[in-house]
Amino acid sequence: MKDVSQYTPWIVAIGALSLLIIWLFVRGARRRAAKATRVVTRMGGNFGRALVATVVIGGMQWLVLAHTTDPRTWAAVLGFPALFAAAQLVRMFASTHEVAAKSKGGHR
């Protein structure tokens, strides 16, 4: 087994690259939300983006976990994506819109 300190520059580089990708993704999402003029109805596009994100995140996790045994590194590599996933789930299930009540006549 090789010394963990040998992989430290690579782990730092992967971490910095991950933060850059997340920052670019959030920045792009904010811009798209601000300029949104239509609703995306194609689930195929969303599924493709989700699949690519899953492969990138899973690949980076596998790469880091395969080359280190430090529990702090494992916690960071597994914890940050879990934190973002949990935040997204909380936003998804926290309903902030009001449902319009039906009028007495039965028409909207």
Side-chain angles (χ1 to χ4, degrees):
M1 178 108 187
K2 296 183 179 182
D3 186 21
V4 175
S5 63
Q6 177 183 354
Y7 295 110
T8 302
W10 288 104
I11 292 170
V12 170
I14 289 170
L17 183 62
S18 301
L19 289 175
L20 176 66
I21 289 170
I22 290 168
W23 178 75
L24 288 172
F25 181 79
V26 169
R27 187 176 123 210
R30 285 184 183 158
R31 283 186 178 178
R32 282 190 302 274
K35 294 180 179 180
T37 57
R38 63 182 173 94
V39 176
V40 176
T41 58
R42 286 185 16 215
M43 288 304 295
N46 289 337
F47 178 74
R49 287 184 210 104
L51 185 62
V52 169
T54 300
V55 169
V56 168
I57 291 170
M60 289 190 321
Q61 286 177 329
W62 175 83
L63 182 66
V64 171
L65 296 179
H67 295 293
T68 185
T69 58
D70 184 20
R72 293 172 296 185
T73 305
W74 281 43
V77 167
L78 296 175
F80 281 121
L83 178 67
F84 289 117
Q88 184 63 34
L89 283 173
V90 167
R91 272 198 306 178
M92 184 173 66
F93 289 122
S95 177
T96 58
H97 66 281
E98 296 179 15
V99 177
K102 288 186 180 180
S103 63
K104 291 182 181 179
H107 295 79
R108 290 187 184 193

